[in-house]
């Protein structure tokens, strides 16, 4: 996230106005505010916003974070005609009622040419993980279920495919859509085999190498997380 904000900030030559939809306790917002940007966090959870307030206060950045209880439907009222340079929507689109409407609202909140950073859970990675764990029924369910869920007790309401994301983003008016798969192998390797920082780094490097080689771009679809960077067209 820091690199995307740095690039936008360098292009505009000033601190950014950032929207963090579903920003929760500030995992993204706090570092951005520490870097000098102003972040408006919109989230329906009062508990998450209270934690965010405490973190912002401890970090001495309360003047650079505006926390508002709301969701995609209330963005227009929250921003009151203001537009932002950068919008983050990390781990949130899985939970909203209508992802297409939420992406349209986020596009509307962005300046022309403004940047979206979207992080969502990928469907195929859970299909592979469930099959490797011997949960073949759940693997099949995740593959065929329209929402990518492996069953009624799946904690996630929704997962996404790369093509589906590209269509949703184009329909919402985004251009220059780049989708990267992250945590491709890491998600499949048993945690007991990753017992040092060196192992974690080695796995992350393998993930990078996997998708950057010629002819292997399709492997991004196996990312446990799909990270999209796009521009409001
Ligand atoms: C998995 S957390 C992600 C938090 C943060 N973005 C991060 O990356 O650490 C999901 C967040 O989405 C929020 N959320 C749930 N439904 C939402 C909605 N309809 N609109 C916006 N945010 C929502 C939750 O309150 C929660 O804070």
């Amino acid at each position: 996230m820091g690199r995307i904000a740095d690039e936008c900030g360098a292009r505009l030559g000033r601190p950014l106005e950032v929207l963090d939809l579903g920003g929760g306790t500030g995992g993204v917002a706090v570092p951005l505010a520490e870097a000098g940007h102003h972040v408006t966090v919109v989230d329906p959870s009062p508990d998450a916003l209270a934690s965010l307030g405490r973190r912002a206060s401890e970090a001495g950045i309360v003047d650079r974070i505006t926390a508002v209880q709301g969701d995609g439907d209330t963005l227009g009222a929250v921003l009151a005609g203001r537009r932002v340079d950068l919008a983050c929507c990390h781990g949130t689109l899985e939970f909203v009622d209508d992802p297409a409407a939420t992406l349209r609202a986020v596009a509307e909140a962005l300046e022309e040419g403004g940047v979206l950073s979207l992080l969502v859970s990928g469907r195929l990675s859970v299909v592979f993980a469930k099959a490797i764990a011997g949960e073949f029924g759940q693997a099949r369910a995740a593959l065929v279920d329209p929402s990518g869920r492996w069953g009624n007790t799946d904690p996630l309401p929704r997962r996404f495919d790369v093509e589906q994301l590209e269509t949703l983003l184009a329909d919402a008016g985004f251009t220059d859509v780049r989708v990267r798969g992250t945590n491709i192998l890491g998600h499949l390797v048993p945690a007991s085999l990753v017992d040092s920082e060196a192992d974690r780094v080695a796995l992350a490097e393998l993930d990078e190498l996997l998708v950057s080689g010629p002819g292997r771009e399709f492997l991004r679809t196996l990312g446990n997380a799909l990270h999209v960077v796009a521009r409001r067209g």
Side-chain angles (χ1 to χ4, degrees), residues 20-29 42-46 48-49 55 70-73 88-98 102 119 156:
D20 189 3
L21 179 63
T25 58
V28 172
V42 178
D43 196 292
S45 162
L49 293 176
R55 279 179 79 173
D71 57 22
D73 292 342
C88 306
C89 187
H90 287 193
T92 302
L93 209 61
E94 294 89 333
F95 297 95
V96 305
D97 290 337
D98 183 347
T102 298
L119 194 69
L156 273 193

Side-chain angles (χ1 to χ4, degrees), residues 1 8 43 48 74 112 116 169 194:
M1 200 56 235
C8 289
D43 196 292
T74 58
E112 193 76 20
L116 167 71
L169 288 157
V194 188

Side-chain angles (χ1 to χ4, degrees), residues 91-96 121 126 130 138 142 145 147-159 187:
T92 302
L93 209 61
E94 294 89 333
F95 297 95
V96 305
S121 300
V126 81
K130 288 293 183 187
Q138 293 182 349
D145 179 63
S147 300
R149 302 185 74 217
W150 48 255
N152 291 337
T153 51
D154 188 337
L156 273 193
R158 193 179 287 110
R159 293 185 180 79
H187 179 64

Side-chain angles (χ1 to χ4, degrees), residues 74-93:
T74 58
L75 282 186
V78 168
L79 295 173
R82 227 166 22 95
R83 291 250 165 96
V84 298
D85 308 303
L86 173 64
C88 306
C89 187
H90 287 193
T92 302
L93 209 61

Side-chain angles (χ1 to χ4, degrees):
M1 200 56 235
R3 189 180 50 78
I4 296 170
D6 288 349
E7 285 172 10
C8 289
R11 183 166 50 84
L12 295 173
R14 57 168 171 75
L16 302 173
E17 280 298 323
V18 183
L19 165 69
D20 189 3
L21 179 63
T25 58
V28 172
V30 168
L32 287 177
E34 284 175 327
H37 306 295
H38 178 260
V39 190
T40 302
V41 177
V42 178
D43 196 292
S45 162
D47 289 346
L49 293 176
S51 295
L52 167 64
R54 286 191 293 276
R55 279 179 79 173
S57 169
E58 280 162 22
I61 44 148
V62 281
D63 54 330
R64 290 200 292 280
I65 293 208
T66 305
V68 186
Q69 192 175 0
D71 57 22
D73 292 342
T74 58
L75 282 186
V78 168
L79 295 173
R82 227 166 22 95
R83 291 250 165 96
V84 298
D85 308 303
L86 173 64
C88 306
C89 187
H90 287 193
T92 302
L93 209 61
E94 294 89 333
F95 297 95
V96 305
D97 290 337
D98 183 347
T102 298
L103 287 175
R104 283 196 298 273
V106 172
E108 185 59 31
L110 274 167
E111 292 282 6
E112 193 76 20
V115 172
L116 167 71
S117 172
L118 172 70
L119 194 69
V120 297
S121 300
R123 174 208 294 267
L124 286 184
S125 90
V126 81
V127 175
F128 276 64
K130 288 293 183 187
I132 288 168
E135 302 284 358
F136 307 122
Q138 293 182 349
R140 184 191 169 96
L143 187 61
V144 300
D145 179 63
S147 300
R149 302 185 74 217
W150 48 255
N152 291 337
T153 51
D154 188 337
L156 273 193
R158 193 179 287 110
R159 293 185 180 79
F160 294 87
D161 296 303
V162 170
E163 279 186 14
Q164 172 197 15
L165 276 178
E166 288 172 339
T167 303
L168 279 170
L169 288 157
D171 289 349
F174 287 98
T175 57
D176 292 343
V177 176
R178 281 168 289 145
V179 186
R180 209 165 62 88
T182 67
N183 195 9
I184 298 169
L185 291 171
H187 179 64
L188 301 175
V189 176
S192 58
L193 300 180
V194 188
D195 50 15
S196 69
E197 188 53 25
D199 283 345
R200 272 182 284 281
V201 170
L203 261 177
E205 286 177 356
L206 260 177
D207 268 356
E208 278 297 326
L209 268 176
L210 259 184
V211 286
S212 55
R216 297 199 296 263
E217 202 206 6
F218 71 94
L219 286 171
R220 68 190 174 147
T221 59
L222 296 178
N224 184 232
L226 303 174
H227 185 210
V228 180
V229 179
R231 205 170 276 285
R232 182 186 168 176

